Amino acid sequence: MGQTIDQAFTGDPLLGTEAESSDDVHWWQRTLPSILALTIVLFLLAQLTDPAGYLSTDVGGKTATIEVIIEDGPRAPDLGYWAEEFDEDGSLYPMWSTGKVGDSWVNVTTLPMLYVAVPLWKLGGPRLAVLIPVLGTVLAAAGAAALAARIGGDRRQRSMAFWLVGLASPATIYALDFWEHSLGLALITWGMVLALDAGSDQRIRWWVPLAAGLAFSGAASMRQEALIYGVVAGVVLVGRLTVGAKPLTAVLRGGAMIIGTGLGLAANAAFEWWVFDTTLRAGRGGSTAAAAGTDLMVRLEEAVVTGVAPMAGTNGSALLVAGLLFALLVALGVKADAPATEQRMIWAGLAAVAALTVLDLLIDGLRFVPGMAATTPLAVFGLARGLRRGPARAVTAMALAALPVVWMTQFAGGASAQWGGRYILPSGLLLLVVAVVTYDTGRAHETMRKVAVAGLAITIVGLAWAIVRTHGVADAGRVLADRPEDALLFHDPFLAREPGPLGLDERWLAAPTAALVAEAGEVLAAAGVERVGYVDYDIGREVPDIPGYVPVGESTIGLVNDLRLRIVTFERTS
């Protein structure tokens, strides 16, 4: 099956003419132009966003931490807390998920990416540092091309896989923001490539399974689900060799992969000890494992949303449309060679679903499209045919086997606030590659091309959403940072984390419950705050009483689309 890593691009460039495949041309000379072109395109697209706004509040905590590392040094980056004297346990800390690590207030669980970004950040700020997630997507696209080679893809199919992942998949959107998903996806993809090589019957060197383990553990320093995909890849590696009557080889290569994983995890833990005198990812992994399987109905619903939903939200209509979309895509995939009449019927149904989705976006405004099937429709094609085609079975099996485990263990509550199922991005990429190779023949090629264009169209919608959201969040953050009140009290700690570094030197608190609002009143009074602004979404929610303060006015500011923030100003009573 396929080729080894040493043969990955030999005689089969991502782009170029057949003449360029001569043996006297190294593979990097043929692929480098494509890699450079994709890097430049993604980097320029990223410049359309506002670097002070983000696709996720997670990034607000990361960018704030980078600013602190640059200012105070690499050891124990401390975001600080202006009200620590009055709120020692940090129950009112404004940024969600901030905890006390030693004497530092820490809002990050992923360290390597931040420290790699520091030199670029110093040189060109966040505009230049976005090159890191851009390169993550480029490497993921290159990994997709390599996977296509492993399952028999020719030069054109490998090139198609490269460009579709790079410019027409969720990986494109995650190149635009300083989030770790593109880097995690790249490492997982290359871990899969190396694991397939290690599980082949061809002679390979010992470093291949070791490198596979290192790739998965490197991804695990950023993405919790990486270890799940690593286990699945390891099982495939050992299983293929065992079936090939090579049990000793299976044990040795499987052991090398485990050693590589252990070395990578140990290196990350050592780095965390150097920074914080403790570990962060281990605790996060433990809490994730402990929560696995809880809230089964919530997890089932979120699995449907991240799997197929073409619109944000988990209401009944969204799930109904999502299920219809999934069913039609599967039917289209299975019937790709069907008579023209059946094809027209399927396309008509799919067009109706697309029209409903577009209408929903036009009515309620741009927002996240959370489903893998909606943002990577070719993935459903891979599902439809992957298990029926010999060379593609291993890749399809890896994509599918990981899904239920990821859904059982992912963090619950954020299914809609993501693009294309961020926890299951590797499965979408693997199935896309399978679709490219298995459908790019005969009459099915035309069907695949149409669906690929649909994937590009929804990715363009994602680009528009990234531009709208980052500019809206950044503008609102600047307004909040310039408010005349002495302090701001947020109802939602996620909202307080949105502006990232803009809030570092501000006197902000967050109190999502009535009990915390009462506690906030005491802290504000003890800190001598005379005027405080209470910040919440302008959705008609009742403004709570702040003990010791009376409301004296209110105003609103825009956030994203038609959503506005309501700021009620309170003054301290005598």
Side-chain angles (χ1 to χ4, degrees), residues 44-107:
L44 292 177
L45 290 177
Q47 305 310 305
L48 299 176
T49 66
D50 192 319
Y54 319 104
L55 281 174
S56 166
T57 67
D58 291 353
V59 185
K62 291 176 173 59
T63 54
T65 301
I66 291 177
E67 295 278 5
V68 170
I69 292 172
I70 293 174
E71 183 176 346
D72 298 338
R75 295 294 303 277
D78 180 13
L79 299 185
Y81 185 24
W82 70 273
E84 182 175 9
E85 178 183 355
F86 315 104
D87 179 28
E88 294 182 0
D89 63 355
S91 58
L92 301 172
Y93 200 94
M95 287 190 180
W96 172 259
S97 192
T98 300
K100 199 74 175 293
V101 178
D103 295 326
S104 301
W105 294 94
V106 177
N107 191 279

Side-chain angles (χ1 to χ4, degrees), residues 52-412:
Y54 319 104
L55 281 174
S56 166
T57 67
D58 291 353
V59 185
K62 291 176 173 59
T63 54
T65 301
I66 291 177
E67 295 278 5
V68 170
I69 292 172
I70 293 174
E71 183 176 346
D72 298 338
R75 295 294 303 277
D78 180 13
L79 299 185
Y81 185 24
W82 70 273
E84 182 175 9
E85 178 183 355
F86 315 104
D87 179 28
E88 294 182 0
D89 63 355
S91 58
L92 301 172
Y93 200 94
M95 287 190 180
W96 172 259
S97 192
T98 300
K100 199 74 175 293
V101 178
D103 295 326
S104 301
W105 294 94
V106 177
N107 191 279
V108 64
T109 56
T110 300
L111 288 181
M113 179 180 177
L114 305 187
Y115 284 80
V116 170
V118 166
L120 292 176
W121 202 283
K122 289 180 178 179
L123 183 63
R127 291 284 188 191
L128 183 59
V130 75
L131 186 60
I132 293 176
V134 164
L135 290 175
T137 293
V138 173
L139 290 173
L147 278 170
R150 300 316 189 271
I151 59 175
D154 60 24
R155 179 186 61 81
R156 184 166 57 87
Q157 292 165 340
R158 294 167 65 175
S159 177
M160 189 179 301
F162 177 84
W163 288 107
L164 286 176
V165 168
L167 292 179
S169 81
T172 310
I173 306 306
Y174 289 106
L176 309 177
D177 196 18
F178 197 79
W179 218 349
E180 72 275 6
H181 294 288
S182 68
L183 280 178
L185 177 62
L187 288 170
I188 291 172
T189 302
W190 279 102
M192 294 286 191
V193 171
L194 294 166
L196 285 175
D197 286 346
S200 69
D201 291 334
Q202 303 179 49
R203 182 187 298 271
I204 63 169
R205 299 178 181 177
W206 61 270
W207 61 264
V208 174
L210 186 73
L214 287 171
F216 284 113
S217 58
S221 72
M222 296 174 280
R223 300 302 318 145
Q224 203 71 26
E225 63 274 8
L227 292 179
I228 296 172
Y229 284 97
V231 170
V232 170
V235 170
V236 169
L237 182 161
V238 173
R240 293 182 72 238
L241 289 173
T242 303
V243 170
K246 295 184 178 180
L248 179 59
T249 303
V251 170
L252 292 177
R253 293 183 185 177
M257 186 172 173
I258 292 173
I259 291 172
T261 303
L263 289 174
L265 295 176
N268 185 68
F271 182 52
E272 291 177 348
W273 271 103
W274 179 78
V275 175
F276 290 119
D277 292 327
T278 187
T279 59
L280 301 176
R281 295 300 294 182
R284 187 177 176 89
S287 62
T288 301
T294 59
D295 301 322
L296 289 180
M297 290 307 298
V298 172
R299 291 185 179 277
L300 178 61
E301 188 175 84
E302 292 197 345
V304 174
V305 171
T306 58
V308 296
M311 60 190 74
T314 54
N315 55 62
S317 61
L319 292 179
L320 177 63
V321 174
L324 181 59
L325 171 68
F326 183 77
L328 286 171
L329 281 174
V330 170
L332 186 60
V334 173
K335 295 288 187 177
D337 294 316
T341 302
E342 292 185 35
Q343 283 285 294
R344 283 195 292 269
M345 292 177 59
I346 296 174
W347 278 114
L350 192 59
V353 175
L356 288 173
T357 303
V358 171
L359 181 63
D360 178 74
L361 292 173
L362 290 176
I363 293 174
D364 292 334
L366 292 171
R367 58 193 186 276
F368 288 104
V369 177
M372 178 181 70
T375 57
T376 319
L378 277 177
V380 186
F381 276 42
L383 173 63
R385 282 195 177 182
L387 292 177
R388 296 187 296 160
R389 299 297 178 93
R393 286 176 182 169
V395 174
T396 307
M398 288 192 293
L400 297 181
L403 286 177
V405 186
V406 174
W407 281 326
M408 289 291 288
T409 57
Q410 70 184 22
F411 290 101

